[in-house]
Amino acid sequence: ALPRLRHSAERGSDSCVMAGTCLRLKRLLLGPLLSRAPNPPTDLSVVPRSDGFDVSWRAGASTSEYNRDRYEVEMAPTSPRLLELLGDTFGSHVQFYSGTDRACSIDRLQPSQPFSIRARCVNRAGASRWVAVDAETCAVPVGCGGVGPDAAYAWDQTPTHVEVRVPVPPTLAPRAVDVRVRPRRLEVRLENREAVAGDLRGEVTCQPGDFEWELRAGAPRGGGP
């Protein structure tokens, strides 16, 4: 009985693989005929940083199982002074992302700059309407922020945001990072090794979603003692 059960399980696995392959073939062959213009993305969210934005969104309702949707994200400055400096060479919007993921980051911006950010869904049948939000990079007050002992971390601080940057090995995997924010303590562990840990001078009320972390290319920046 055991060999027969094993054989049945293998056949079931083969069926799953064949079903997935058939669906991909159907999309490839029938996509040009049966694709439909997509719905726009929903819940467009822009989280500002002092040097950029973290942008995310949700997929709109599907219009056809044969669609091969991807997303485009564009940005344009809204500051009159910045528009004057850029002149006509910038245009209205510039594309910063194109792909199938539903999140991206826009980096290397200056603090306290306002922008219009918009996203849409596209496929071979057409494009959805744009979904747009206005956002401004966070301010970095003079004298706030700095570098920790032995350059173990750097931070920027505003009246509403704190950004802590910790150097990590270039090959570090996201699953090896553990960040914990407690009412009076911050801990960052890399591959089960304590990288940053210390008590906070005041109590922090932190709910799920109040903080986030990401791996970025580049060394921590900061100034001060």
Side-chain angles (χ1 to χ4, degrees):
L2 289 178
R4 189 178 301 115
L5 286 173
R6 186 180 299 113
H7 181 64
S8 299
E10 291 173 353
R11 291 187 59 186
S13 176
D14 292 343
S15 298
C16 292
V17 172
M18 290 187 64
T21 303
C22 290
L23 180 58
R24 287 192 292 271
L25 285 174
K26 286 171 63 177
R27 287 178 174 174
L28 180 64
L29 298 175
L30 300 179
L33 298 175
L34 300 179
S35 291
R36 297 291 182 268
N39 281 315
T42 64
D43 299 331
L44 179 61
S45 171
V46 178
V47 177
R49 307 189 309 269
S50 60
D51 63 348
F53 299 106
D54 297 319
V55 188
S56 62
W57 57 92
R58 296 181 183 273
S62 176
T63 57
S64 171
E65 65 174 316
Y66 298 98
N67 284 356
R68 299 182 66 182
D69 296 338
R70 59 185 178 85
Y71 302 94
E72 296 177 348
V73 177
E74 296 185 349
M75 183 181 72
T78 57
S79 166
R81 181 175 177 275
L82 187 56
L83 287 171
E84 182 180 355
L85 290 174
L86 292 172
D88 297 334
T89 57
F90 188 84
S92 59
H93 283 77
V94 171
Q95 185 178 102
F96 278 83
Y97 173 78
S98 177
T100 57
D101 291 338
R102 293 191 287 273
C104 68
S105 293
I106 302 173
D107 301 311
R108 299 185 179 181
L109 301 179
Q110 296 299 313
S112 302
Q113 287 188 346
F115 292 89
S116 171
I117 299 172
R118 65 185 190 180
R120 69 176 180 178
C121 184
V122 298
N123 60 34
R124 65 184 70 193
S128 73
R129 62 177 175 83
W130 290 101
V131 177
V133 298
D134 292 329
E136 182 173 336
T137 51
C138 296
V140 181
V142 176
C144 290
V147 178
D150 300 324
Y153 62 90
W155 83 94
D156 284 335
Q157 180 176 333
T158 74
T160 58
H161 292 77
V162 176
E163 182 175 297
V164 181
R165 298 181 292 272
V166 181
V168 301
T171 57
L172 187 74
R175 64 177 178 273
V177 180
D178 182 19
V179 180
R180 300 183 183 184
V181 180
R182 306 182 189 278
R184 286 187 174 270
R185 187 172 176 82
L186 171 66
E187 298 178 0
V188 179
R189 300 183 67 84
L190 308 176
E191 296 179 330
N192 293 322
R193 176 182 60 84
E194 187 177 272
V196 174
D199 295 331
L200 304 174
R201 295 188 178 182
E203 185 166 321
V204 175
T205 301
C206 188
Q207 303 294 330
D210 285 350
F211 78 95
E212 60 182 24
W213 64 266
E214 64 174 342
L215 293 176
R216 287 190 221 158
R221 301 182 302 278

